Amino acid sequence: MTAADPCAHCEEMMQPYMDRVLTDAERAEAETHLDECTYCRKRYRFEDHLRTFVQQAVYAEPMPVELRQKLADLRTPLQ
Ligand SMILES: [Zn+2]
């Protein structure tokens, strides 16, 4: 395992990427990796959908505890 694992680096940048707080260079770097890595692309897409879903849920009914737990389980890293 090297420190230069591109997927690990990509994962680190996922939250800031979603929050749109990356610099242009970092963003370009992440997008380049996403273009060529199916694994990370899936993770980003999943995270993106999850965020949208959670945002919608905030404005809808209060989320049942079981659903909240299910979402928390889904967020654990895929191995
Ligand atoms: Zn990757």
Side-chain angles (χ1 to χ4, degrees):
M1 189 90 175
T2 66
D5 179 358
C7 290
H9 182 55
C10 197
E11 195 173 328
E12 272 172 31
M13 293 206 292
M14 183 156 66
Q15 298 301 332
Y17 182 89
M18 296 287 169
D19 292 331
R20 300 177 196 283
V21 294
L22 292 179
T23 65
D24 286 350
E26 286 169 334
R27 190 177 181 85
E29 195 186 341
E31 284 174 352
T32 301
H33 182 75
L34 288 174
D35 269 352
E36 59 198 26
C37 183
T38 312
Y39 175 75
C40 289
R41 202 155 58 227
K42 277 187 189 160
R43 294 209 55 172
Y44 269 60
R45 199 172 299 157
F46 175 78
E47 185 71 20
D48 194 35
H49 285 172
L50 188 63
R51 283 190 174 218
T52 306
F53 179 74
V54 169
Q55 273 163 13
Q56 285 169 349
V58 165
Y59 296 108
E61 306 283 304
M63 204 185 291
V65 176
E66 308 89 72
L67 181 56
R68 214 182 277 266
Q69 184 57 50
K70 211 173 248 180
L71 283 173
D73 291 345
L74 284 172
R75 292 198 71 139
T76 52
L78 314 163
Q79 289 299 335

